[in-house]
Amino acid sequence: MKRKNPIAPLIAWLGLAMAAFQVVYAADGNVVAASQRHGLITGRVSNAATSANLEGAVVLLEGTTFSTVTERDGTYRLRVPAGNYTLVGSYTGLDSQKTLVSVADGATVVREIGLTADVYRMEKF
């Protein structure tokens, strides 16, 4: 009795499974599914009163799971599907800031976020 090669059906199945997915390489080298177009939101978070860049500030898109933490120099990068979002920047001890952002397919949107708090605001004499 002749034994069947168990690898042949596995290879055929993998070939069919892979054919179902179209793969596109984005400009930054990341692989993106063709049905999902992406853009990039980037910028820097700083203390508006002192101009100091803020490491560890949280930047997120309200109502989504997209978020990141700023680098040592206050910079951030969020790779997101094209669309309209509310970008939120926050840092412990400072007031959060929200701004609307529209991301087009393949576009890079730069948003600088300057955070402050009532402690830094002086009243009129």
Side-chain angles (χ1 to χ4, degrees):
M1 190 160 157
K2 195 174 189 184
R3 291 182 61 175
K4 291 185 179 181
N5 185 353
I7 295 178
L10 178 62
I11 291 172
W13 182 84
L14 285 173
L16 288 173
M18 295 302 286
F21 295 101
Q22 288 182 312
V23 177
V24 176
Y25 289 92
D28 62 1
N30 290 334
V31 177
V32 180
S35 62
Q36 277 193 329
R37 303 297 182 192
H38 287 79
L40 183 67
I41 304 171
T42 185
R44 185 179 312 269
V45 179
S46 64
N47 183 321
T50 65
S51 298
N53 295 327
L54 298 175
E55 177 183 5
V58 175
V59 179
L60 59 86
L61 296 181
E62 192 171 67
T64 72
T65 59
F66 294 99
S67 66
T68 190
V69 177
T70 58
E71 300 290 330
R72 174 176 245 157
D73 61 354
T75 58
Y76 69 92
R77 292 172 50 98
L78 278 171
R79 184 169 155 68
V80 299
N84 298 314
Y85 302 99
T86 300
L87 183 70
V88 181
S90 62
Y91 188 79
T92 303
L94 299 175
D95 298 332
S96 295
Q97 179 183 340
K98 294 182 180 184
T99 184
L100 298 177
V101 62
S102 181
V103 180
D105 176 31
T108 297
V109 178
V110 178
R111 286 291 184 272
E112 304 296 324
I113 302 172
L115 302 178
T116 190
D118 287 334
V119 172
Y120 296 110
R121 295 185 192 128
M122 295 184 69
E123 294 183 23
K124 293 181 181 179
F125 288 104

